[in-house]
Amino acid sequence: TVAYPNQETPSRVEFSDESVVKLSERQNRRDVTFQAVKPGEVTARLYYPQGGGETIREYSLKVDQDLHLTAGPGRFPGDRRIILSVLILFVAATSVSIYTSAEAHCNRSFSYTMVAADTLSLLLGAQSLVLVLSALTGSEWSLSGFFASLHALGTHFVTWSAFVMAPLAVWLCVSNLVLLRKEGFTLRNMLGIFLGLLWGSAYVAHSVIGNLEAFDPVFCLILQTVIDYTIVYFECVLFALALSGLRAARHEPPFDRDCIVILGCQIRKDGTPTPLLRGRLDRALDFEKEQMERGGRPVVFIPSGAQGRNEVCSEARTMANYLMSRGVSASRILLEEQACNTLQNMRYAKELIDREMPGAKAAFSTTGYHVFRSMLWASRTDFDCDGMGSHTKWYYYPNAYLREILGLVAARHTVLWGLLVVILVYLLFGLLAQIQ
């Protein structure tokens, strides 16, 4: 037998087939107990007095061969309040996320807050819209039906996003194949292929679990929810990072700079800059030219980068030589030859500027895909500077940008805990939706 809580004993109970289930004689004001008689399915209608009429609560009951009684979607008096509370929570969280995201983008405050706000706006916004519309248009405010809609929304999101993610995965693989042919084979150059295959595997798992419901519907539903919302979560993070990264890459600093820090990267064996590094140098030179055309002043260039393994000189020295070959006098070049990564680029450049040019307005030049993360590292060192990005070859961009995304996620590993919390919450929803 299975008991269903109600505030009052119903005035009467009707069954579509009285030979399958009967009403137990043991009842009180809070419980109505049904007793299984034989295998089959039946609909139970409970009539409760309300004012001058009656309120009907309907349950779909099923009895298996072992006379185990289960119930389909049903209602109890607290449904409406719980649903309203969940809807208010979703709408409030979505509103805060959208406001925070809009404010960050308007102020161009590129930060992890911007990424988190964009992610939550995407993740919660679609859910809030669909759930509110479902609640407003639905004839029944069933709690189990509401949570079932929440589950279905995750599946629909994965299905709809496949039209975007499938071409993206193919593009990643194609661009990586071109990159391998142009730049040579390395595991780093295989990143796009790995992630494309991983994404494809996630969609295969999504499809396979959806076809196994006949074996264990409850377990499959919970597992489907975990897989679907894991996919949804990472897709929202990817879209949020892509949006922030693209906006940062197109960012243009004010044309009143006193100095430009040029972030280093690997140089050639003969000590000359690679095309990637040359792009950063040319971007800095172009910015200075435009600033002077607008009535501004020349800038001091600060090449930043230490000497790496198998490099004949420091990256900073290579950049200085290139700048002087383009007509920049040595008096307008300050070398920073200690930094081995982006964070050190920002920290040591700030120390150099504070020492040699206190109060100077700074900007930095790097490759387009690297601007956003560089801005984050600058903020961590309290270095007040704007970034600008140079272009690179199309086949290099997807793989490099994926490395930036992984670097951003790794730098804030608490995101993984956030994902765990999200999965557990939806897992709880799955359990609530399957209460029998």
Side-chain angles (χ1 to χ4, degrees), residues 213-436:
E213 293 184 358
F215 295 96
D216 191 333
V218 176
F219 174 76
C220 287
L221 179 59
I222 294 174
L223 186 58
Q224 182 92 60
T225 301
V226 173
I227 292 175
D228 287 350
Y229 275 101
T230 299
I231 296 174
V232 169
Y233 176 83
F234 278 115
E235 286 180 351
C236 289
V237 170
L238 177 63
F239 292 149
L241 286 169
L243 176 62
S244 300
L246 291 174
R247 283 183 59 85
R250 299 181 57 173
H251 179 65
E252 190 81 36
F255 291 98
D256 60 351
R257 301 295 95 177
D258 299 306
C259 58
I260 300 177
V261 179
I262 306 171
L263 306 188
C265 62
Q266 189 174 17
I267 62 176
R268 287 173 169 168
K269 293 182 179 180
D270 61 358
T272 58
T274 60
L276 194 68
L277 183 55
R278 192 165 58 246
R280 300 180 181 187
L281 291 160
D282 290 341
R283 181 69 177 91
L285 290 168
D286 290 342
F287 179 85
E288 183 203 37
K289 180 181 178 182
E290 187 171 354
Q291 177 169 294
M292 293 180 66
E293 290 174 351
R294 290 171 177 249
R297 54 190 177 276
V299 302
V300 173
F301 295 95
I302 305 177
S304 176
Q307 181 176 354
R309 287 188 229 176
N310 302 322
E311 291 182 337
V312 297
C313 63
S314 69
E315 296 166 2
R317 175 56 61 186
T318 293
M319 289 187 278
N321 293 337
Y322 181 84
L323 291 172
M324 288 188 287
S325 71
R326 292 288 302 273
V328 178
S329 64
S331 61
R332 290 200 295 124
I333 299 176
L334 288 177
L335 293 182
E336 189 291 295
E337 299 181 276
Q338 302 179 56
C340 297
N341 54 50
T342 306
L343 183 61
Q344 291 180 1
N345 284 140
M346 297 303 178
R347 177 179 295 131
Y348 297 151
K350 179 179 183 299
E351 293 174 356
L352 181 61
I353 293 172
D354 289 343
R355 184 173 62 251
E356 302 292 337
M357 304 175 61
K361 295 180 180 179
F364 68 83
S365 176
T366 186
T367 313
Y369 61 78
H370 191 234
V371 175
F372 182 62
R373 186 153 66 107
S374 300
M375 284 186 170
L376 296 181
W377 288 171
S379 65
R380 287 183 62 180
T381 60
D382 294 324
F383 186 18
D384 183 15
C385 64
D386 276 328
M388 66 186 86
S390 64
H391 297 291
T392 188
K393 296 176 181 178
W394 71 270
Y395 59 81
Y396 194 87
Y397 196 93
N399 197 76
Y401 193 68
L402 283 174
R403 291 205 308 270
E404 294 300 304
I405 290 176
L406 292 179
L408 288 167
V409 173
R412 287 292 186 274
H413 60 274
T414 51
V415 171
L416 298 179
W417 290 107
L419 172 62
L420 179 61
V421 170
V422 170
I423 292 176
L424 290 177
V425 167
Y426 286 112
L427 183 61
L428 175 61
F429 286 170
L431 294 174
L432 288 174
Q434 291 299 316
I435 288 179
Q436 298 178 351

Side-chain angles (χ1 to χ4, degrees), residues 14-32:
E14 294 181 355
F15 298 104
S16 59
D17 186 348
E18 296 184 354
S19 65
V20 176
V21 174
K22 69 178 182 180
L23 192 63
S24 174
E25 296 181 358
R26 181 172 56 83
Q27 300 180 39
N28 55 44
R29 290 180 60 85
R30 295 188 58 82
D31 295 324
V32 176

Side-chain angles (χ1 to χ4, degrees), residues 39-343:
E41 297 183 8
V42 63
T43 298
R45 294 182 180 86
L46 281 63
Y47 295 82
Y48 293 86
Q50 185 176 21
E54 291 180 316
T55 299
I56 303 175
R57 305 191 190 283
E58 188 173 281
Y59 298 90
S60 298
L61 309 178
K62 182 178 180 180
V63 181
D64 60 21
Q65 295 295 327
D66 297 325
L67 299 185
H68 179 257
L69 176 63
T70 59
R75 292 177 49 197
F76 66 91
D79 280 9
R80 186 176 294 271
R81 294 179 182 178
I82 293 178
I83 293 173
L84 284 174
S85 299
V86 174
L87 285 177
I88 291 173
L89 177 63
F90 268 85
V91 172
T94 302
S95 301
V96 171
S97 298
I98 292 176
Y99 174 80
T100 304
S101 174
E103 187 176 41
H105 283 282
C106 288
N107 297 332
R108 296 186 176 184
S109 54
F110 301 102
S111 63
Y112 283 106
T113 300
M114 174 188 284
V115 175
D118 289 346
T119 300
L120 290 177
S121 296
L122 290 169
L123 187 63
L124 298 178
Q127 293 180 342
S128 298
L129 179 61
V130 172
L131 292 177
V132 169
L133 291 176
S134 177
L136 292 177
T137 58
S139 58
E140 294 287 340
W141 279 50
S142 166
L143 186 62
S144 57
F146 179 80
F147 285 133
S149 299
L150 203 59
H151 280 263
L153 183 59
T155 301
H156 293 328
F157 194 106
V158 172
T159 302
W160 296 334
S161 64
F163 293 100
V164 176
M165 298 308 301
L168 178 60
V170 172
W171 183 50
L172 286 175
C173 293
V174 170
S175 64
N176 265 208
L177 290 174
V178 177
L179 178 65
L180 291 172
R181 186 170 63 87
K182 297 280 189 179
E183 305 291 338
F185 177 83
T186 64
L187 289 178
R188 186 171 64 178
N189 289 346
M190 291 283 291
L191 181 60
I193 295 177
F194 290 148
L195 289 184
L197 293 176
L198 179 61
W199 221 272
S201 300
Y203 273 86
V204 170
H206 160 78
S207 301
V208 170
I209 295 299
N211 295 323
L212 297 179
E213 293 184 358
F215 295 96
D216 191 333
V218 176
F219 174 76
C220 287
L221 179 59
I222 294 174
L223 186 58
Q224 182 92 60
T225 301
V226 173
I227 292 175
D228 287 350
Y229 275 101
T230 299
I231 296 174
V232 169
Y233 176 83
F234 278 115
E235 286 180 351
C236 289
V237 170
L238 177 63
F239 292 149
L241 286 169
L243 176 62
S244 300
L246 291 174
R247 283 183 59 85
R250 299 181 57 173
H251 179 65
E252 190 81 36
F255 291 98
D256 60 351
R257 301 295 95 177
D258 299 306
C259 58
I260 300 177
V261 179
I262 306 171
L263 306 188
C265 62
Q266 189 174 17
I267 62 176
R268 287 173 169 168
K269 293 182 179 180
D270 61 358
T272 58
T274 60
L276 194 68
L277 183 55
R278 192 165 58 246
R280 300 180 181 187
L281 291 160
D282 290 341
R283 181 69 177 91
L285 290 168
D286 290 342
F287 179 85
E288 183 203 37
K289 180 181 178 182
E290 187 171 354
Q291 177 169 294
M292 293 180 66
E293 290 174 351
R294 290 171 177 249
R297 54 190 177 276
V299 302
V300 173
F301 295 95
I302 305 177
S304 176
Q307 181 176 354
R309 287 188 229 176
N310 302 322
E311 291 182 337
V312 297
C313 63
S314 69
E315 296 166 2
R317 175 56 61 186
T318 293
M319 289 187 278
N321 293 337
Y322 181 84
L323 291 172
M324 288 188 287
S325 71
R326 292 288 302 273
V328 178
S329 64
S331 61
R332 290 200 295 124
I333 299 176
L334 288 177
L335 293 182
E336 189 291 295
E337 299 181 276
Q338 302 179 56
C340 297
N341 54 50
T342 306
L343 183 61

